Amino acid sequence: MSKTKIVFIGAGSAVWSSTIIVDFILTPSLYGSEIVFVDIDEERLNLIYDFSRRYAREYKADYVFKKSLDRREVLEGADFVINAALAKGHSHYEVMRRVSEAHGYYRGINSVEWNMVSDYHTIWGYYQFKLALDIARDLEEKAPDAWLLQVANPVFELTTLLSRETKVKVVGLCHGHLGYLDLARTLNLDPSEVEVEMLGFNHVIWLTKFKYRGENAYPLIDEWIEKKSEDFWRSWRENQWNPFDIQMSPAAIDMYKAYGLFPIGDTVRGGTWKYHWNLGTKQYWYGPSGGPDSEIGWEVYLMYLNMRLNEIKRALADTSRPLSDTVEPVRSGEAIVPLIDSIVNDRRASYQVNVLNGDSIPGIPSDVAVEMPVIVDSKGVHRMSFGELPRRVYNLVLRPRLLRAEWAIEAFLEGGRDFLFEWLIRDPRTKSTEQVNNVIDDILKIPGNEEMAAHFK
Amino acid sequence: MSKTKIVFIGAGSAVWSSTIIVDFILTPSLYGSEIVFVDIDEERLNLIYDFSRRYAREYKADYVFKKSLDRREVLEGADFVINAALAKGHSHYEVMRRVSEAHGYYRGINSVEWNMVSDYHTIWGYYQFKLALDIARDLEEKAPDAWLLQVANPVFELTTLLSRETKVKVVGLCHGHLGYLDLARTLNLDPSEVEVEMLGFNHVIWLTKFKYRGENAYPLIDEWIEKKSEDFWRSWRENQWNPFDIQMSPAAIDMYKAYGLFPIGDTVRGGTWKYHWNLGTKQYWYGPSGGPDSEIGWEVYLMYLNMRLNEIKRALADTSRPLSDTVEPVRSGEAIVPLIDSIVNDRRASYQVNVLNGDSIPGIPSDVAVEMPVIVDSKGVHRMSFGELPRRVYNLVLRPRLLRAEWAIEAFLEGGRDFLFEWLIRDPRTKSTEQVNNVIDDILKIPGNEEMAAHFK
């Protein structure tokens, strides 16, 4: 086995990257590889570096770990680059959200139909788009044959942007499609006998095939809705503790009825304002937390991240107990490590990924990143072909979502205030032209947004 | 010359159809043709029939005029069918507009970005869509080789719908593109030396080519804006008497600046809510009338129609003076009669029409009706090919407009309340889900909407 070099950018998001490190450690076929962590936050960088070295030692996993504050120093020779970086960190976007809300834009100007996810930064994601594109351009220069695994959001926009603007081999990855397992579990199906196909855009995927033991299982969903959903929701409303527990929420069932296919994973977090007007509306559709993207659910999530980070720090400081007491040695279910394994060791397998459509899904332009299953082996990513989705899914979901993606990409590439204006003038929260102009002014005035303000001048 | 049969459906809209009759009378190369008027309003039918017979007699124009209350009786053998019918007449839509406004939907739920035209009935045009499709189906049965000239609005949606759903040869026609003459006149250009190309969808067309004496004339627009627009607007604000006089309005100039091409004709009536929030906004952008689609401008237009109808009635009753004193013997500028002449007499010429795109305009699906120049001769309509439009025009104008067209067409074909709901839940005038449900309920309860209510149940 040749030595594989993996550069992990934004690895300082230790809560998440620690689970990926565990995946590596549980994958002996990649032993011998070099994993280089990159982050601009030195403390966080050291944290994941120390964590990985110790976890690997405990498991006798043979990896060479390195670290750097400057990606350009370490990209050369990379076979894989994982981009998990969130430019400016969560807190900056929370400031923009607060400023937006002062102007009547509940949950921020970034939240729109089919993208209500609180850290899927598109129109206000200037720094995030720029970072991702800079990384891809660095790869073109320093490691043109490397695979870029884009896991930082917004996966849909960034996979599309980077694939269009650079020659890099970009694959966007997201674990959201695993929501189908919640569906199977709720229907009491043995997951190993479930066959699924999910198509669409990242965070906007639809269950186009659902079989159980070879038979169409959609009737089982219909039966569950008819006979069991009310009881399920009664208990769920009393007991929901995880705001992300919404795969079988009334929102999901309502979307299924409206659009004809079952929405999977983060798709349920989207939809029109019907599900999102305010906290009360969100609670009706997503349970007492209001779902992950309410002011309650999102705060819970951000607090969870901090809490978990502290747990990892404490575990690292405490050498009396193995790290695996804190971060369990189980596979995360993320596709990153298995996919690298498939390419490095020619283990042909199917993955749910985001890549440019080509002619895989009819009715979607070829230069738009779709989320779909592909086959991966040492030769790379092999697209398949799929049937048409229902017209409602195209017209009411995918095409409107695609428009917003194109606007965000164009806003990033071209600059100019017009794009922010056009974004907001069509928003149901907008009541006047002044409101649009005022919120734009105030967001661009936020400290830290100087470069973005110049871009959108 | 073989005898040509032309069936004119909805001819009872005498104000407009009288101008088309004048075109026929001024076109000797079509003499000998049979023109059959159809309308369900017998009084109106007799009016246009009597008008035409007398006008033709005065001009010694050799046409055979006939009339019928039932199109199915007269379609057989037709070479051309002009569909100018507005199902249910203006007043019905004014009732729907009033009901909408009681729920906070200024100018009605039908008005949306890029379709603010007051009689361009799409989402609430159920009866209009049905009538147009029924006429096309009758043609398939009774006169499958006839040309269907679709002049009744919404030309964009109906040309697309009829072309997709039937085998009829459909051509949508609209005189809106003649707005370029206003532009030329304002710039003091000799119209005969102006060369233009306008592309897009009906009512959403953009000046993709503008030459004067062979040179690019866009700089003349820029110069006018810089040096003359303020003076022009000062006088125009004082003197505007025709609400349709908006080709050089601040709205047009603002759209030009925002999207990069000059908007022509009814395009200026569109745009986002930026131009349309309320009467004050409309007056700012369209002059003291608020443009044709304000509560003032539209009322002026409807009153004008009535006044003009009465003038025609009076002229018919007064045999002491020729009809041409009331309806001038000048060509209307409408393409209908010249286009028929081109086909019948093989007079090869260029026309601005609406037909399915095929591969004429890049970036627009082939099965969508575009408005563009074509060549017409006895062999029919010949498409040409054009270059790409600016990305802003696609992303911010044409694609959003197309989405609304697809929603309206789908709503008509599929039925079900969901489509009305989805239409409104994305509307900036919508503030709550209840508002959406209430306005739908009340519109469907309007007397005369029973069949539409069943369709959208």
Side-chain angles (χ1 to χ4, degrees):
Chain A
M1 193 189 311
S2 76
K3 191 174 151 184
T4 300
K5 178 172 178 180
I6 298 150
V7 177
F8 195 151
I9 298 174
S13 323
V15 176
W16 183 78
S17 35
S18 63
T19 68
I20 303 304
I21 292 306
V22 170
D23 286 347
F24 275 114
I25 282 162
L26 298 178
T27 307
S29 49
L30 289 173
Y31 286 4
S33 302
E34 177 179 310
I35 298 177
V36 187
F37 300 114
V38 177
D39 208 289
I40 56 169
D41 181 326
E42 190 164 11
E43 193 198 327
R44 294 287 204 93
L45 181 65
N46 288 334
L47 182 71
I48 191 67
Y49 177 74
D50 294 343
F51 171 89
S52 303
R53 297 225 304 172
R54 189 167 134 201
Y55 211 112
R57 215 162 43 233
E58 288 177 10
Y59 275 78
K60 302 191 180 16
D62 173 28
Y63 285 101
V64 178
F65 294 105
K66 296 187 176 168
K67 59 181 176 172
S68 171
L69 289 164
D70 179 358
R71 66 175 182 269
R72 290 182 54 86
E73 278 178 357
V74 298
L75 280 176
E76 211 142 320
D79 299 294
F80 298 90
V81 174
I82 303 168
N83 178 16
L86 174 56
K88 298 210 160 241
H90 283 296
S91 60
H92 187 69
Y93 302 93
E94 296 310 310
V95 175
M96 289 202 278
R97 199 181 324 274
R98 279 202 300 278
V99 169
S100 303
E101 291 192 334
H103 290 280
Y105 294 96
Y106 175 59
R107 303 303 295 153
I109 63 166
N110 189 75
S111 293
V112 290
E113 320 80 35
W114 298 107
N115 180 23
M116 300 289 179
V117 168
S118 305
D119 61 351
Y120 212 84
H121 307 304
T122 65
I123 194 66
W124 67 17
Y126 169 77
Y127 296 103
Q128 180 70 347
F129 281 46
K130 181 155 183 281
L131 174 60
L133 188 54
D134 284 350
I135 291 172
R137 293 232 161 99
D138 288 344
L139 251 73
E140 275 189 311
E141 182 192 334
K142 307 231 173 214
D145 293 328
W147 290 91
L148 175 56
L149 307 184
Q150 179 66 39
V151 299
N153 281 330
V155 165
F156 177 33
E157 276 82 359
L158 292 182
T159 305
T160 301
L161 173 72
L162 304 189
S163 302
R164 285 180 184 173
E165 299 293 319
T166 76
K167 293 187 180 119
V168 172
K169 295 180 287 188
V170 187
V171 177
L173 295 174
C174 175
H175 63 260
H177 64 284
L178 298 178
Y180 85 85
L181 292 170
D182 287 340
L183 170 63
R185 200 160 32 238
T186 309
L187 300 180
N188 278 317
L189 307 182
D190 172 359
S192 70
E193 306 230 38
V194 167
E195 188 193 338
V196 292
E197 176 190 277
M198 295 159 290
L199 300 178
F201 303 137
N202 179 243
H203 283 202
V204 199
I205 53 171
W206 300 87
L207 190 63
T208 48
K209 193 188 281 183
F210 183 41
K211 290 189 173 177
Y212 189 58
R213 293 176 177 157
E215 301 260 319
N216 176 24
Y218 256 106
L220 302 179
I221 302 179
D222 298 334
E223 198 190 334
W224 181 85
I225 294 170
E226 198 194 323
K227 298 188 180 157
K228 305 205 172 151
S229 59
E230 291 299 336
D231 282 347
F232 175 90
W233 289 331
R234 202 167 300 121
S235 146
W236 168 79
R237 282 195 189 281
E238 279 172 24
N239 303 309
Q240 187 189 34
W241 59 270
N242 176 358
F244 287 81
D245 174 18
I246 58 169
Q247 180 61 70
M248 300 307 289
S249 63
I253 306 308
D254 194 70
M255 289 178 192
Y256 168 43
K257 287 180 179 165
Y259 306 108
L261 290 176
F262 208 80
I264 297 297
D266 300 294
T267 313
V268 179
R269 298 164 72 178
T272 64
W273 286 98
K274 176 180 189 183
Y275 310 108
H276 300 281
W277 291 115
N278 48 45
L279 181 60
T281 309
K282 284 180 183 271
Q283 287 173 321
Y284 176 83
W285 292 109
Y286 297 106
S289 68
D293 302 300
S294 75
E295 50 270 55
I296 298 173
W298 192 244
E299 200 54 39
V300 168
Y301 174 64
L302 294 180
M303 287 192 303
Y304 160 80
L305 288 182
N306 280 329
M307 186 194 74
R308 190 73 184 132
L309 184 66
N310 286 330
E311 281 177 5
I312 294 173
K313 284 182 189 170
R314 272 199 305 273
L316 262 178
D318 176 2
T319 50
S320 71
R321 297 188 326 165
L323 281 180
S324 56
D325 277 9
T326 303
V327 180
E328 279 188 292
V330 293
R331 290 178 195 280
S332 66
E334 302 274 356
I336 300 167
V337 177
L339 186 138
I340 291 174
D341 192 31
S342 281
I343 293 177
V344 171
N345 297 310
D346 198 21
R347 294 177 191 258
R348 187 176 170 86
S350 171
Y351 294 92
Q352 183 84 1
V353 306
N354 295 266
V355 289
L356 291 192
N357 185 40
D359 51 10
S360 293
I361 304 181
I364 294 178
S366 57
D367 67 343
V368 169
V370 294
E371 182 166 317
M372 60 183 178
V374 297
I375 301 296
V376 178
D377 60 21
S378 64
K379 294 201 185 67
V381 168
H382 308 284
R383 290 184 182 83
M384 299 180 282
S385 286
F386 304 95
E388 298 209 337
L389 283 86
R391 287 166 71 131
R392 288 188 179 204
V393 172
Y394 284 114
N395 285 327
L396 299 173
V397 182
L398 296 181
R399 284 178 186 145
R401 177 67 184 88
L402 175 56
L403 260 184
R404 289 280 180 187
E406 295 289 6
W407 296 349
I409 290 171
E410 199 77 352
F412 170 70
L413 289 175
E414 284 215 16
R417 188 181 175 100
D418 281 358
F419 285 100
L420 300 181
F421 185 89
E422 295 279 348
W423 182 270
L424 286 166
I425 197 71
R426 301 144 193 260
D427 189 305
R429 295 165 300 176
T430 292
K431 295 179 182 71
S432 73
T433 301
E434 295 68 47
Q435 183 189 4
V436 171
N437 284 319
N438 292 340
V439 76
I440 293 173
D441 287 343
D442 283 358
I443 282 180
L444 295 181
K445 268 187 239 152
I446 293 171
N449 271 351
E450 293 77 10
E451 186 184 319
M452 179 168 149
H455 180 75
F456 285 118
K457 200 178 164 74
Chain B
M1 193 191 312
S2 76
K3 191 173 149 182
T4 301
K5 180 173 178 180
I6 298 150
V7 178
F8 195 151
I9 298 175
S13 323
V15 175
W16 183 77
S17 35
S18 64
T19 68
I20 303 303
I21 292 306
V22 170
D23 286 346
F24 275 115
I25 282 162
L26 298 178
T27 307
S29 50
L30 289 173
Y31 285 3
S33 300
E34 178 179 309
I35 298 177
V36 188
F37 299 113
V38 177
D39 208 289
I40 56 169
D41 180 327
E42 192 164 10
E43 193 198 326
R44 295 286 204 96
L45 181 64
N46 289 333
L47 182 70
I48 190 68
Y49 176 73
D50 294 344
F51 172 90
S52 304
R53 297 228 302 174
R54 192 169 131 201
Y55 211 113
R57 215 164 41 235
E58 288 176 8
Y59 274 77
K60 301 190 180 16
D62 173 28
Y63 284 100
V64 178
F65 293 106
K66 296 188 175 169
K67 59 180 177 172
S68 170
L69 289 163
D70 179 358
R71 66 175 183 269
R72 290 183 53 85
E73 278 178 357
V74 299
L75 280 177
E76 210 142 322
D79 298 295
F80 297 91
V81 175
I82 302 166
N83 178 16
L86 174 56
K88 297 210 161 240
H90 282 298
S91 60
H92 186 70
Y93 302 93
E94 296 310 310
V95 175
M96 289 202 278
R97 198 178 330 268
R98 278 201 300 280
V99 169
S100 302
E101 292 192 333
H103 290 281
Y105 294 96
Y106 175 59
R107 302 304 294 154
I109 64 165
N110 189 76
S111 293
V112 290
E113 319 81 37
W114 299 105
N115 179 24
M116 299 289 177
V117 168
S118 306
D119 62 349
Y120 212 85
H121 307 302
T122 65
I123 193 66
W124 68 15
Y126 169 77
Y127 295 105
Q128 180 69 347
F129 281 46
K130 181 156 183 280
L131 174 60
L133 188 54
D134 285 350
I135 289 171
R137 293 234 162 95
D138 287 346
L139 251 72
E140 275 188 311
E141 182 192 334
K142 306 233 174 212
D145 293 327
W147 290 91
L148 176 56
L149 306 184
Q150 179 67 38
V151 298
N153 281 331
V155 165
F156 176 33
E157 276 82 358
L158 292 181
T159 305
T160 301
L161 173 72
L162 305 189
S163 302
R164 285 180 184 172
E165 297 293 319
T166 76
K167 293 187 180 117
V168 172
K169 293 180 287 188
V170 188
V171 177
L173 295 174
C174 176
H175 63 261
H177 64 283
L178 298 177
Y180 85 86
L181 292 170
D182 287 340
L183 170 63
R185 201 159 31 238
T186 309
L187 300 181
N188 278 316
L189 308 183
D190 172 358
S192 69
E193 305 229 41
V194 167
E195 190 193 338
V196 292
E197 177 190 276
M198 294 159 289
L199 299 178
F201 303 138
N202 180 243
H203 283 202
V204 199
I205 54 171
W206 300 86
L207 190 63
T208 47
K209 193 188 284 183
F210 183 42
K211 290 190 174 178
Y212 189 57
R213 295 180 177 156
E215 301 260 320
N216 177 23
Y218 257 105
L220 303 179
I221 302 180
D222 297 335
E223 199 190 332
W224 182 87
I225 294 171
E226 198 193 322
K227 299 188 180 158
K228 304 203 173 153
S229 58
E230 292 298 337
D231 282 347
F232 176 91
W233 289 332
R234 203 168 300 121
S235 145
W236 167 79
R237 282 197 190 279
E238 278 171 24
N239 303 309
Q240 187 189 37
W241 58 269
N242 175 358
F244 286 82
D245 173 19
I246 58 169
Q247 179 61 69
M248 301 306 290
S249 63
I253 306 308
D254 194 70
M255 289 178 192
Y256 167 44
K257 287 179 180 165
Y259 306 109
L261 291 176
F262 208 80
I264 297 296
D266 300 293
T267 312
V268 179
R269 299 164 71 179
T272 64
W273 285 99
K274 176 182 188 182
Y275 310 108
H276 300 280
W277 291 116
N278 49 44
L279 181 59
T281 309
K282 284 179 183 271
Q283 288 173 321
Y284 176 81
W285 293 107
Y286 298 105
S289 67
D293 303 300
S294 75
E295 51 270 56
I296 298 174
W298 192 242
E299 199 55 38
V300 167
Y301 174 64
L302 294 179
M303 286 191 305
Y304 161 80
L305 287 182
N306 281 328
M307 187 196 72
R308 190 76 186 130
L309 184 66
N310 286 330
E311 281 177 5
I312 294 173
K313 282 182 188 169
R314 271 199 306 274
L316 261 178
D318 176 2
T319 50
S320 71
R321 296 191 324 166
L323 280 180
S324 54
D325 278 9
T326 304
V327 179
E328 280 188 291
V330 292
R331 289 179 197 280
S332 67
E334 301 272 358
I336 301 168
V337 176
L339 186 139
I340 291 174
D341 192 30
S342 281
I343 294 177
V344 169
N345 297 310
D346 198 22
R347 293 176 191 260
R348 188 176 169 86
S350 171
Y351 294 92
Q352 182 83 0
V353 306
N354 295 267
V355 290
L356 291 192
N357 184 41
D359 50 12
S360 293
I361 304 181
I364 295 177
S366 57
D367 67 342
V368 170
V370 293
E371 182 166 317
M372 60 183 176
V374 297
I375 302 294
V376 178
D377 60 20
S378 64
K379 294 199 184 68
V381 168
H382 308 284
R383 290 185 182 83
M384 298 180 282
S385 286
F386 304 96
E388 298 209 337
L389 284 85
R391 286 166 71 132
R392 288 188 179 202
V393 172
Y394 285 114
N395 284 328
L396 298 172
V397 182
L398 296 180
R399 285 180 185 142
R401 177 66 184 90
L402 175 56
L403 261 184
R404 288 280 180 186
E406 295 288 6
W407 295 350
I409 290 170
E410 199 75 354
F412 170 71
L413 289 174
E414 283 215 16
R417 185 181 176 100
D418 281 358
F419 285 100
L420 300 181
F421 185 89
E422 295 279 348
W423 183 269
L424 286 167
I425 198 73
R426 299 146 194 258
D427 190 305
R429 295 165 299 176
T430 292
K431 295 179 182 70
S432 72
T433 300
E434 296 67 46
Q435 183 190 4
V436 171
N437 283 319
N438 292 340
V439 76
I440 294 173
D441 286 345
D442 283 358
I443 282 179
L444 296 180
K445 267 188 238 152
I446 293 172
N449 271 352
E450 292 77 9
E451 186 184 319
M452 179 169 148
H455 179 75
F456 285 117
K457 201 181 162 72

